[in-house]
Amino acid sequence: PTVFSSATTYTVGCWIKYLSKDSYDWLFGTSATTKNFGLNRTGDHIFYREEDGEYYSFGNNSNIPLNTWTHLIFTANDTSISCYANGNLVGTITVNSTNSIDGGGDNSDTLESTKLTLTRINGGYASGGNTNYLVHCKLSEAFAYDSYMTASQVKTLYNALVKKQLLDRG
């Protein structure tokens, strides 16, 4: 089901254990032709993709190492989207300021908006449910909020989750 549609203020996240390198793969979004968040291990980017095919990088994919659980959050307001790994800022992309890294080919297109329709988490995004675009990973505790989280809130959430895991282990 649709979690939210054309939202400009939201937070999505999960624990991810990235298992192998691959090309452009979607974590959160709707379809291959709409806006999505994902990972590109071979191109070394954590990215946001607009429906016109432009990709915007939050930064280096090494922030999500292979075979290690990483807490990943994307949070947006109507002017920017930030990506956090383990409570630390990876990068921020800004409407009308951040240039694309791919897509149209000229790398001069800037981010148009922060809008996201969320209907799938790591789902098969190609037509017909093709699984070519799945992130090869394990996911845990995925979530979606219709609100923006500040850096302080992201860090507090991460610290609370880590503390809970330590207490659960005894």
Side-chain angles (χ1 to χ4, degrees):
T2 300
V3 177
F4 43 76
S5 181
S6 294
T8 57
T9 302
Y10 53 86
T11 302
V12 294
C14 63
W15 285 96
I16 180 172
K17 187 174 186 180
Y18 207 11
L19 299 175
S20 68
K21 296 182 178 185
D22 211 340
S23 57
Y24 287 103
D25 296 320
W26 321 118
L27 275 174
F28 299 99
T30 302
S31 72
T33 59
T34 60
K35 298 179 180 198
N36 296 283
F37 291 103
L39 308 174
N40 179 338
R41 177 59 69 172
T42 57
D44 203 27
H45 293 284
I46 302 168
F47 68 84
Y48 175 71
R49 179 189 184 274
E50 287 195 312
E51 55 202 16
D52 62 359
E54 298 294 327
Y55 291 85
Y56 301 87
S57 177
F58 292 102
N60 192 304
N61 218 1
S62 65
N63 292 288
I64 305 174
L66 289 174
N67 300 307
T68 302
W69 284 103
T70 302
H71 193 247
L72 183 64
I73 289 181
F74 299 97
T75 188
N77 56 35
D78 53 355
T79 60
S80 65
I81 309 170
S82 295
C83 175
Y84 294 84
N86 294 331
N88 298 308
L89 181 66
V90 174
T92 298
I93 57 176
T94 305
V95 173
N96 296 323
S97 296
T98 303
N99 288 343
S100 67
I101 59 167
D102 196 304
D106 61 10
N107 295 343
S108 63
D109 289 333
T110 59
L111 180 67
E112 295 171 11
S113 76
T114 63
K115 288 183 182 177
L116 180 71
T117 296
L118 179 61
T119 62
R120 296 183 188 179
I121 298 172
N122 202 30
Y125 291 106
S127 62
N130 187 324
T131 58
N132 289 343
Y133 298 105
L134 292 174
V135 176
H136 188 218
C137 67
K138 292 182 180 182
L139 291 177
S140 181
E141 300 179 31
F143 65 88
Y145 302 135
D146 63 354
S147 59
Y148 172 77
M149 291 181 78
T150 65
S152 175
Q153 290 169 320
V154 169
K155 190 67 152 183
T156 298
L157 175 62
Y158 172 72
N159 288 337
L161 291 170
V162 169
K163 182 177 180 179
K164 179 186 179 306
Q165 287 178 348
L166 291 173
L167 290 173
D168 287 349
R169 290 182 191 156

